[in-house]
């Protein structure tokens, strides 16, 4: 639970003001995406080729339709204006206005960013933030990165920017941007440019202010064009809704102005809407072309600095962006304080950030872990992005645009025309995944609740609102296919957030439960085709974990009954049961829901055994392929699919049953009349308080011990850095099955998968993933709360050493935390064999939060620049060895 608000913690006071609607501290934030090009929203191609339709090469010249991107960027919550940083080293063919990377086809392991930047700090109101980027002084090797990665096979590593040798002689710029709010709409910036090279060099720095183009699409009420005017040392902006904004910079920067309009002449040889289109500042700085407006007017402007920095030296630029006056705001702009007042704001907000995190992170947490925790928060906060996507408008096209191809109306997301997103949402990764994903978001909210429970709750509620939740009850999965199926973890996350927030916001819990009733019904009606209480669901987020693509048509006729799908649904039923039990204390009407979800859980859990998902001989849960003639083909892959049923567990105390006699009566009836329920609701023992408690679990005590023997085996799932997604036993013994004449195989691969079965980043064949580890650690703690210290488990398997479940959960947490920490040799496992990141003093303490980790050595893999669910390490640090939630 967060520390109470007090005058000693100004950041928590700001949060309280924002939650109460008193002051809009969240209105401005780092909501500008790292990448908008190559997204589904910007794709108007005939066949849904998003990366090809809007490639990186077009990004500097084409006005975006749905949202903007940039470096070190901030904007308002409606993305009316944007502020970003552009750089030029006098060697590159283009300004560095946005991060570069490869698309799914260009990277040998899927899409991959090829720049190095870090989100170093942020408070939840964004009153203090820090961002850092390392920019080569030699020409950025765009063509080399494309060519070499294009030649590499799936069994080869990715070719990264560091591999080109461009940083070998330390000739690069370390650029840091600090942000501090003097008020909700008054932002002080300090740009620090450090020359790490051994010779003097010049860097062009262009803080850039622009308006998102909302006027060129021909939509009613959106045709008024705002304007930015260049004045000495400042850009003065005027907008019909925002009024007057000023970006002021110290010294005498040159204002450069153009328009945020597409350069149709460069792209298609056609005359455009402006003589000074979007890439005008780029062309002027790089080539000296007359492509900026000599009248210093436009909708995009930059303050141009050319900084001479000596070898090993650094210089700074003070900037300030402020909303000066509401509309019409026709008067002259005031002079903004860039002196003592500016410095005082920066110093105060940084000190307040230190105070905020001192209140969050216990004093006994080691300094190295505290640094990881604080930077995990930074990544989550910087991962909040403005997301705009009206699916109906996207499908039909804009009045002023060429109509989309006819086939588009029956293609991607065409069944989701009710969706109209216009919100700030927590993204999985602002470059590789600059769109929300439902189950990622649920995990994000658990960590976000530690610092900003109000925002965490709003995020969970958002995806359940009518303009997100499908009329049939399905929660949208992610931009590439809203109709795909993510695991149902929304209820679990809501319970976690409710508890972290103090367990008092019953209105929030009730709102979530009411909408999840629709979603639960969708699952029962759509994903249990046989009506036998075992579930399908498709890939369920576990890309490439099985011998064939679970989201595609099966290789033979039949139905794939999934252990993870069934486990997720058993867990879902228990989560809804827990919600109903909490709410029934205040409103007895919820007791009926509690009995409904108790019984539904029991039916699902019992069916898993009746339908053969539990393999008694193997001591493991497996997917089962049910053929039309009734034959069942078990797919004996030992993967996280078979471990997830462990997460379907909760406890009923005697006090709960005393308060809710209807639930107690139904429990007694079930045990007397449904003997098949005995395994999943039968365990009973005294709790720590001496009162009777009952365990509800899809995995009975005997099955749990057998599952844990595999899960905690170093030759199977247990690695030095957490739990693998696939048993290492499949390295020597891959699983194969022949279906319809096709041989389907899955084998252990600790890093990126060499199989393209699921497409792009198909990497669930062995690496370590934070979210599944987190759920399984949580399950161990739940079992520990029931069994106490009486149950001892050999850990690791065959070691001869017995431990309590709490001790095992703590050790698994330690293993995951160690991924980010320097070991005795000073090396962080996440950085693998990359010496620059391991040993260089300017790099080795900059922390990233990769998407997943090598199953044997812990090296970071996948999306690298803050995948939100990896920030769960924050929660592990805060709860390890302490009483939890």
């Amino acid at each position: 639970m967060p520390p109470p608000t007090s005058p000693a913690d100004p950041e928590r006071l700001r949060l309280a003001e924002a939650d109460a609607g008193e002051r809009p501290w969240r209105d401005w934030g780092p909501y500008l995406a790292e990448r908008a090009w190559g997204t589904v929203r910007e794709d108007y191609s005939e066949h849904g080729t998003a990366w090809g339709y809007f490639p990186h090469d077009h990004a500097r010249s084409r006005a975006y339709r749905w949202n903007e991107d940039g470096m070190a960027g901030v904007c308002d919550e409606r993305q009316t204006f944007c502020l970003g940083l552009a750089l030029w080293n006098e060697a590159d063919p283009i300004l560095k206005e946005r991060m570069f990377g490869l698309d799914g086809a260009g990277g040998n392991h899927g899409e991959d960013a090829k720049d190095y930047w870090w989100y170093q700090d942020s408070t939840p109101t964004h009153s203090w933030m820090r961002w850092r980027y390392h920019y080569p002084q030699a020409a950025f090797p765009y063509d080399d990165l494309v060519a070499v990665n294009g030649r590499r096979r799936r069994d080869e590593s990715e070719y990264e920017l560091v591999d080109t040798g461009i940083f070998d002689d330390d000739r690069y710029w370390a650029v840091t941007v600090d942000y501090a709010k003097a008020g909700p709409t008054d932002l002080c910036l300090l740009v620090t440019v450090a020359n790490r090279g051994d010779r003097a060099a010049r860097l062009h720095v262009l803080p850039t202010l622009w308006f998102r183009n909302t006027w060129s699409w021909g939509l009613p009420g959106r045709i008024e064009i705002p304007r930015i005017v260049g004045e000495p040392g400042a850009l003065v902006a005027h907008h019909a809704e925002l009024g007057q904004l000023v970006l002021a910079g110290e010294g005498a920067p040159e204002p450069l102005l153009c328009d945020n309009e597409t350069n149709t002449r460069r792209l298609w040889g056609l005359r455009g809407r402006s003589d000074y289109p979007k890439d005008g500042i780029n062309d002027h700085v790089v080539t000296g072309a007359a492509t900026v407006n000599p009248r210093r007017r436009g909708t995009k402007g930059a303050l141009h600095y050319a900084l001479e920095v000596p070898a090993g030296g650094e210089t700074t630029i003070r900037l300030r962006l402020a909303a000066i006056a509401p509309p019409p705001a026709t008067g002259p702009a005031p002079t903004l304080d860039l002196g003592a007042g500016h410095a005082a704001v920066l110093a105060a907000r940084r000190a307040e950030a230190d105070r905020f995190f001192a209140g969050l992170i216990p004093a006994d947490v080691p300094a190295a872990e505290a640094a990881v925790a604080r930077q995990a928060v930074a990544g989550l906060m910087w991962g909040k992005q403005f997301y705009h996507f009206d699916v109906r408008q996207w499908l039909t096209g804009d009045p002023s645009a060429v109509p989309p191809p006819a086939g588009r109306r029956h293609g991607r997301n065409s069944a989701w025309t009710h969706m109209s997103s216009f919100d700030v949402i927590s993204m999985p990764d602002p470059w590789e995944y600059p769109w929300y994903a439902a189950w990622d978001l649920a995990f994000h909210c658990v960590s976000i609740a530690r610092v900003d429970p109000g925002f965490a709750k709003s995020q969970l509620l958002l995806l359940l609102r009518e303009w997100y939740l499908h009329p049939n009850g399905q929660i949208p999965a992610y931009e590439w296919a809203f109709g795909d199926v993510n695991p149902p973890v929304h209820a679990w996350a809501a319970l976690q957030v409710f508890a972290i927030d103090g367990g008092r916001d019953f209105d929030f819990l009730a709102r979530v439960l009411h909408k999840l009733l629709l979603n639960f019904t969708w699952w029962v009606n759509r994903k249990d085709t046989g009506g036998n209480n075992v579930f399908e669901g498709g890939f369920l987020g576990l890309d490439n974990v099985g011998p064939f693509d679970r989201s595609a048509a099966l290789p033979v006729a039949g139905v794939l009954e999934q252990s993870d799908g069934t486990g997720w649904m058993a867990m879902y039923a228990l989560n809804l049961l827990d919600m109903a039990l909490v709410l029934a204390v205040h409103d007895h009407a919820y007791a009926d829901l509690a009995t409904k979800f108790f019984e539904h859980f029991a039916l699902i859990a019992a069916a898993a055994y009746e339908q053969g998902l539990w393999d008694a001989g193997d001591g493991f849960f497996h997917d089962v392929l049910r053929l039309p003639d009734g034959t069942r083909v078990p797919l004996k892959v030992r993967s996280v699919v078979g471990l997830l049923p462990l997460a379907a567990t909760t406890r009923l105390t005697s006090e709960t049953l005393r308060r809710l006699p209807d639930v107690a009566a139904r429990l007694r009836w079930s045990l007397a009349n449904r003997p098949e329920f005995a395994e999943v609701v039968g365990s009973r023992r005294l709790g720590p308080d001496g009162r009777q408690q009952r365990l509800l679990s899809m995995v009975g005590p005997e099955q749990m011990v057998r599952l844990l023997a595999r899960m905690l085996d170093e030759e199977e799932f247990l690695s030095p850095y957490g739990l693998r997604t696939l048993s290492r036993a499949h390295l020597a013994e891959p699983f194969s099955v022949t279906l319809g004449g096709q041989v389907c195989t899955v084998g252990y691969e600790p890093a990126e998968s060499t199989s393209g079965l699921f497409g792009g980043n198909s990497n669930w064949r062995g690496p370590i993933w934070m979210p599944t580890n987190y759920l399984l650690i949580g399950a161990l703690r739940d079992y520990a709360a029931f069994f106490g210290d009486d149950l001892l488990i050999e850990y690791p398997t065959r070691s001869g050493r017995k431990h309590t479940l709490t001790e095992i959960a703590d050790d698994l947490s330690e293993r995951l935390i160690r991924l980010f920490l320097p070991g005795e040799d000073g090396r962080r496992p996440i950085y693998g064999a990359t010496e620059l990141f391991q040993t260089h003093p300017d790099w080795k303490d900059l922390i990233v939060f990769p998407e997943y980790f090598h199953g044997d050595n812990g090296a970071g893999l996948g999306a690298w620049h803050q995948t939100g669910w990896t920030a769960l390490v924050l929660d592990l640090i805060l709860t390890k060895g302490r009483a939890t939630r």
Side-chain angles (χ1 to χ4, degrees), residues 78 173 244 345 397 435 546 824:
R78 300 171 65 85
W173 301 99
Q244 188 181 72
V345 171
W435 28 260
E824 292 182 0

Side-chain angles (χ1 to χ4, degrees), residues 499-760:
I500 291 169
D501 190 38
R504 299 180 301 269
D505 194 346
F506 302 105
D507 178 69
F508 160 71
L509 208 60
R511 291 177 67 191
V512 170
L513 175 57
H514 291 162
K515 290 298 182 66
L516 288 180
L517 293 176
L518 300 174
N519 181 247
F520 188 87
T521 302
W522 176 84
W523 272 91
V524 171
N525 290 338
R526 296 293 185 93
K527 296 301 175 183
D528 176 15
T529 57
N532 57 3
N533 293 304
V534 294
F535 289 80
E536 296 83 49
F539 90 113
L540 287 176
L542 303 181
D543 310 17
N544 209 356
V545 74
F548 48 79
D549 184 351
R550 300 194 304 172
S551 68
L554 296 175
V556 293
V559 174
L560 182 66
E561 295 179 335
Q562 297 176 211
S563 287
D564 56 339
T566 305
W568 287 124
M569 284 302 290
M571 173 179 150
Y572 196 1
L574 287 180
N575 296 150
L576 296 178
L577 166 64
D578 284 338
M579 284 187 184
L581 290 174
V582 170
L583 294 169
V585 174
H586 303 276
D587 184 345
H588 193 71
Y590 286 99
D592 289 347
L593 283 178
T595 57
K596 179 262 190 298
F597 286 113
F598 158 72
E599 187 136 341
H600 214 127
F601 157 74
L603 289 168
I604 294 170
Y609 295 91
E610 293 167 357
Q611 302 298 323
L613 300 185
W614 171 255
D615 187 324
D618 202 24
F620 210 76
F621 286 96
H622 299 298
D623 288 352
V624 173
L625 183 60
R626 176 165 50 87
L627 302 178
D629 63 2
T631 301
R632 295 180 181 275
V633 181
L635 303 178
K636 294 193 175 185
V637 179
R638 292 205 291 276
S639 76
V640 70
V641 163
L643 297 178
L644 283 170
L646 284 165
T649 185
T650 194
R651 290 175 298 132
L652 292 180
T653 65
S654 58
E655 177 62 19
T656 298
L657 296 175
R658 184 190 66 76
R659 291 198 313 263
L660 302 170
D662 291 350
V663 176
R666 192 60 184 172
L667 177 62
R668 289 193 298 270
W669 183 93
S670 297
L671 290 173
N673 295 277
R674 302 293 294 269
E676 67 273 21
F677 289 177
E679 275 294 309
V680 295
V681 301
S683 297
R684 185 172 58 180
R685 62 181 282 121
L686 293 178
D689 58 359
R691 295 180 176 179
Q692 220 25 275
Q693 58 176 341
R694 190 178 289 276
L695 181 70
L696 306 186
S697 177
M698 182 171 168
V699 180
E702 178 186 346
Q703 290 85 1
M704 181 190 68
V705 171
R706 297 190 67 191
L707 268 179
L708 292 182
R710 292 212 182 274
M711 186 176 94
L712 305 177
D713 188 338
E714 293 173 317
E715 295 302 316
E716 293 215 35
F717 291 96
L718 182 62
S719 90
Y721 303 104
L723 300 171
R724 305 174 177 106
T725 54
L726 192 73
S727 171
R728 200 171 188 278
H730 287 306
L731 177 64
E733 299 178 7
F735 171 81
S736 291
V737 62
T738 300
L739 299 169
Q742 176 183 345
V743 178
C744 304
T745 302
V746 59
Y748 174 75
E749 297 179 85
E752 292 97 342
S753 173
T754 58
S755 166
L757 187 66
F758 193 78

Side-chain angles (χ1 to χ4, degrees), residues 268-286:
W268 304 297
L270 302 173
R271 182 178 176 83
R273 291 169 54 97
S274 171
D275 292 331
Y276 307 101
K278 177 180 175 178
D279 51 13
I281 296 172
N282 174 90
D283 294 352
H284 176 76
V285 173
V286 174

Side-chain angles (χ1 to χ4, degrees), residues 444-467:
H444 302 179
C445 288
V446 174
S447 296
I448 291 172
R450 295 287 174 186
V451 294
D452 190 353
F455 183 74
K457 288 183 284 187
S458 72
Q459 291 287 282
L460 291 172
L461 288 167
L462 181 64
L463 293 199
L464 301 178
R465 298 308 302 269
E466 292 72 22
W467 48 94

Side-chain angles (χ1 to χ4, degrees), residues 29-37 39 41 64 66-76 79 81-85 97-99 117 119 131 210 212 382-388 425 427 429-435:
Y31 312 142
L32 182 66
E34 298 286 1
R35 177 175 66 83
W37 54 278
T39 58
R41 283 158 287 165
Y64 294 111
W66 295 100
N67 73 297
E68 296 285 338
D69 60 17
M71 300 197 309
V74 297
C75 66
D76 61 296
Q79 202 169 92
F81 77 85
C82 304
L83 173 65
L85 189 69
E97 293 180 273
R98 58 189 50 81
M99 301 305 177
W117 72 98
Y119 307 121
W131 175 95
W210 71 99
R212 183 166 63 92
W382 279 88
K384 293 158 62 174
Q385 307 282 281
F386 169 77
Y387 187 84
H388 185 200
I425 307 179
M427 304 291 172
D429 179 283
W431 194 94
E432 297 209 27
Y433 306 115
W435 28 260

Side-chain angles (χ1 to χ4, degrees), residues 317-385:
I317 303 170
R318 292 182 181 182
L319 301 155
R320 192 162 190 164
L321 175 70
I324 299 304
T330 56
T335 300
L336 300 183
D337 182 357
L338 294 170
H342 184 281
V345 171
L346 280 159
R349 295 298 174 264
R350 182 171 185 178
E352 291 163 4
D354 291 342
R355 192 176 308 164
F356 173 80
F357 284 105
L360 172 72
I361 303 170
D364 61 348
V365 171
E369 291 185 24
V372 171
R374 183 162 175 170
Q375 200 160 329
V377 174
L380 283 170
M381 296 300 100
W382 279 88
K384 293 158 62 174
Q385 307 282 281

